[in-house]
Amino acid sequence: MSTSKTAHFLVRTLSLALIAAWAAPALSEEGIVDHVNAEAAKGAILTHPLRANVSELEGSGGNITVLSGADGKFLVDAGIGLSKAAMQASLAKLGPAPVKYVANTHWHWDHSDGDAWLHQAGATIIATPQTVSHLTQASRVSDWDHTFPAVAADGVPSVRLTMDKTYTMNGESIVVHPLMASHTDGDISVYFTHADVLATGDTFWNGIYPFIDHEHGGGINGTIAAIDSYLKFVTDKTIIVPGHGAVADRKQLLEYRDMLVAVRSRVAILKRQGMTVAEVVAAKPTAPFDAKWGKFIVTPELFTRLVYDGV
């Protein structure tokens, strides 16, 4: 096995081990926030070097992508504030330069809760106006039975993007791209052009059913459209960092897209027959996919309900 293949195998093995830890004991939507916070508080951050000074940090909520270099660090997502000490230690190992920018892929706390301490350390926080809106008011996610309070002033992104913006640092061109409504109504993707690394946020969950936040503008159709937009430019050489799950390639992204399309079709057919959401859940339309995709926090039942709401 080549060095690169060995590295990717280890990344996937470690990621799947963390997924197992998150999913045991099995969870539905109940207690998700407390459970994820408890895992983040343990302070176990894994660093996965990817390519050309771009790395992935795993263990503080969603996956975090980091470009390191003399010009400073560029982070995609901020993780959970409870991981601050572990994050500081992991970032220091990537080089002495401070964090200059943090791009929030969306507003959910497992991707943005670390904004405040990173801003206090000198970072500029980037997000869409929709993400800022959700962060600056109490926002309830009924599927998690949790209401998030408005963030403190230090946690409010100061750069609000409505169109693509390219940042140049450390010899890299970083394209920050606001998406149409997909996982939420304010998602972005970030593409490190020279390294050929794409960070998707929660529009892509590798090997696991995704959460889709309908209360904040998300939907299955927009999620599929986001994946289709990635497939137009990524190649077999592109490294793809999902919001959750192991680092992926184009083949895995396409497999995820095909799963979403198939489940959407199966649920839509049952809904058009007049079935209630409870009846569709009971019909188990995700059954052919559950063995692979249904082993994380988003259960087959919850995912079916999320798709039902969007078709």
Side-chain angles (χ1 to χ4, degrees):
M1 185 179 290
S2 68
T3 300
S4 62
K5 288 183 178 180
T6 300
H8 281 89
F9 173 78
L10 290 173
V11 167
R12 182 164 181 80
T13 301
L14 290 168
S15 297
L16 291 176
L18 283 180
I19 288 171
W22 272 34
L27 296 174
S28 63
E29 58 271 28
E30 296 179 3
I32 285 178
V33 174
D34 289 342
H35 187 74
V36 173
N37 280 342
E39 290 297 316
K42 293 178 180 178
I45 303 292
L46 300 176
T47 301
H48 306 302
L50 300 178
R51 183 189 291 147
N53 296 321
V54 179
S55 301
E56 178 209 7
L57 301 183
E58 180 184 6
S60 180
N63 293 328
I64 296 169
T65 308
V66 185
L67 170 69
S68 304
D71 295 335
K73 296 182 177 74
F74 190 109
L75 269 62
V76 183
D77 285 331
I80 295 173
L82 290 166
S83 301
K84 176 182 176 180
M87 281 287 295
Q88 288 174 320
S90 296
L91 290 169
K93 291 177 181 178
L94 294 175
V99 177
K100 189 171 182 179
Y101 295 106
V102 178
N104 289 158
T105 59
H106 60 292
W107 76 273
H108 288 154
W109 101 108
D110 56 325
H111 297 258
S112 66
D113 190 55
D115 283 352
W117 77 261
L118 284 160
H119 174 69
Q120 291 166 4
T124 297
I125 313 298
I126 305 160
T128 62
Q130 296 93 330
T131 289
V132 174
S133 177
H134 300 317
L135 289 173
T136 53
Q137 59 186 308
S139 297
R140 180 166 181 78
V141 180
S142 298
D143 286 308
W144 300 343
D145 192 24
H146 194 91
T147 300
F148 296 90
V151 301
D154 282 336
V156 179
S158 59
V159 176
R160 304 171 188 190
L161 295 186
T162 57
M163 61 183 66
D164 285 8
K165 184 170 182 177
T166 300
Y167 293 82
T168 302
M169 55 188 295
N170 300 319
E172 181 62 83
S173 293
I174 309 157
V175 181
V176 183
H177 173 59
L179 295 159
M180 64 176 290
S182 45
H183 172 65
T184 70
D185 61 2
D187 295 77
I188 64 171
S189 64
V190 180
Y191 181 53
F192 299 87
T193 306
H194 297 302
D196 194 16
V197 174
L198 172 65
T200 67
D202 278 3
T203 56
F204 174 34
W205 296 43
N206 186 23
I208 45 185
Y209 289 139
F211 180 70
I212 300 172
D213 189 350
H214 288 278
E215 288 177 293
H216 299 90
I220 182 66
N221 294 330
T223 299
I224 292 170
I227 302 305
D228 286 339
S229 74
Y230 305 148
L231 288 167
K232 290 178 181 178
F233 71 90
V234 300
T235 71
D236 292 342
K237 296 181 180 179
T238 305
I239 296 173
I240 305 169
V241 182
H244 298 277
V247 169
D249 57 20
R250 190 181 193 280
K251 180 179 179 181
Q252 291 165 311
L253 182 68
L254 182 59
E255 183 182 11
Y256 174 75
R257 188 259 185 199
D258 290 346
M259 179 276 293
L260 294 178
V261 170
V263 172
R264 178 180 64 177
S265 176
R266 294 166 71 92
V267 171
I269 289 170
L270 297 175
K271 188 173 182 179
R272 285 197 296 268
Q273 293 173 359
M275 286 189 178
T276 66
V277 62
E279 290 170 335
V280 173
V281 168
K284 301 184 182 302
T286 65
F289 306 96
D290 290 347
K292 175 178 176 63
W293 303 88
K295 304 300 184 183
F296 196 45
I297 283 178
V298 178
T299 63
E301 294 78 12
L302 174 55
F303 184 55
T304 299
R305 290 200 286 108
L306 295 173
V307 175
Y308 184 96
D309 286 343
V311 297

